[in-house]
Amino acid sequence: MKPKKQDIKISLSLLEIDYGELNAQLERFAPLADWFHVDVMDGNFVPNLSVGLPVVRAMKTKVPLDCHLMINHPDQYIEPFAKAGATSITIHAEASTHLKRDIQLIQKAGCKAGVAINPETPVSKIAAILPLVDMILIMSVHPGFGGQTFSPTVLDKVAWIRSRYPKLSIQIDGGINDKTAPLAVQAGATILAAGSYITQSDNPEVAFRKLTKAVAFL
Ligand code: DX5
Ligand code: ZN
């Protein structure tokens, strides 16, 4: 069963915004986002550092905060991120030592639980937890940096999950633009994590419209 147009959401990645004027940027981008996608990197699970708890705490917005934790020992940070204001918390299957327990920790903390897998991680790694999660995140680039090129080989994983779980939220993250988003949606993705295509555009409104129009074929 293919997702319907009204099911598609844009989770706007804030990785490359100007954090010197955080809340002004959130206000500026709020009309272009169903959710804000907050990329948390530890310089260990991924070869880059980004923002953490104090920044999430400082965010003043009504847009739901979709926190993507690219960190080792995610269990230690679930409750703090929930308290900081996360609406959903996505952890990496490669980084969690007790995936089922960590999913439950996220849900007990009052957040939607997401599990992410890197491009080289097979879907078999998460098959057992699919009935437990609120969302799966399929990385379409190697995590760590914005502005990379979308890898279409991950689409088979999206289609595999979609064929078995018609209603599950499937997020795709990395290299999303008006050309790659339709491929992801056709395979079954419902949440588009889009960063540089919108935030680094000369005209973010035009980029946003192009992106939403590109997936309006459903
Ligand atoms: C990459 C992050 C992504 C990234 C997306 O590690 O998880 O969310 O910011 O950025 P773009 O859309 O530029 O690929
Ligand atoms: Zn992300």
Side-chain angles (χ1 to χ4, degrees):
M1 196 177 85
K2 289 268 151 60
K4 296 194 187 69
K5 185 180 159 187
Q6 62 267 26
D7 297 332
I8 309 294
K9 286 188 167 46
I10 308 276
S11 190
L12 186 72
S13 168
L14 303 175
L15 187 59
E16 299 191 53
I17 64 163
D18 179 356
Y19 284 87
E21 45 170 52
L22 175 64
N23 283 309
Q25 292 270 293
L26 297 188
E27 210 177 310
R28 192 249 174 281
F29 287 119
L32 311 184
D34 294 299
W35 301 346
F36 282 136
H37 182 98
V38 183
D39 286 303
V40 178
M41 302 180 183
D42 65 354
N44 190 344
F45 179 70
V46 286
N48 198 7
L49 283 166
S50 62
V51 299
L53 288 162
V55 174
V56 175
R57 258 182 237 122
M59 290 180 169
K60 291 190 176 42
T61 178
K62 292 202 169 75
V63 178
L65 299 180
D66 175 34
C67 293
H68 177 195
L69 306 190
M70 287 161 276
I71 62 175
N72 284 322
H73 311 295
D75 52 307
Q76 295 174 16
Y77 299 94
I78 287 167
E79 214 182 304
F81 271 98
K83 285 196 176 136
T87 310
S88 54
I89 297 177
T90 296
I91 58 172
H92 270 261
E94 302 87 354
S96 165
T97 44
H98 297 86
L99 204 44
K100 276 188 192 169
R101 176 205 62 188
D102 291 349
I103 291 164
Q104 283 166 359
L105 280 178
I106 297 172
Q107 290 166 338
K108 271 194 200 139
C111 296
K112 297 275 183 211
V115 170
I117 51 171
N118 288 338
E120 65 277 9
T121 302
V123 84
S124 56
K125 171 114 182 157
I126 52 163
I129 56 85
L130 290 173
L132 310 175
V133 282
D134 301 297
M135 177 166 71
I136 285 294
L137 186 155
I138 301 293
M139 287 302 309
S140 37
V141 298
H142 290 285
F145 300 92
Q148 302 183 76
T149 304
F150 181 83
S151 170
T153 55
V154 306
L155 292 173
D156 285 350
K157 294 194 278 189
V158 176
W160 190 94
I161 297 168
R162 177 56 68 222
S163 68
R164 285 155 182 85
Y165 294 87
K167 294 203 174 128
L168 184 62
S169 289
I170 305 179
Q171 181 164 185
I172 187 123
D173 186 9
I176 290 295
N177 58 39
D178 62 323
K179 303 289 182 300
T180 57
L183 305 175
V185 170
Q186 249 159 351
T190 46
I191 321 281
L192 303 169
S196 54
Y197 178 72
I198 293 175
T199 62
Q200 303 306 294
S201 163
D202 289 341
N203 193 329
E205 279 72 20
V206 170
F208 174 80
R209 276 201 297 276
K210 271 174 82 176
L211 187 60
T212 47
K213 219 175 138 194
V215 294
F217 56 84
L218 292 159

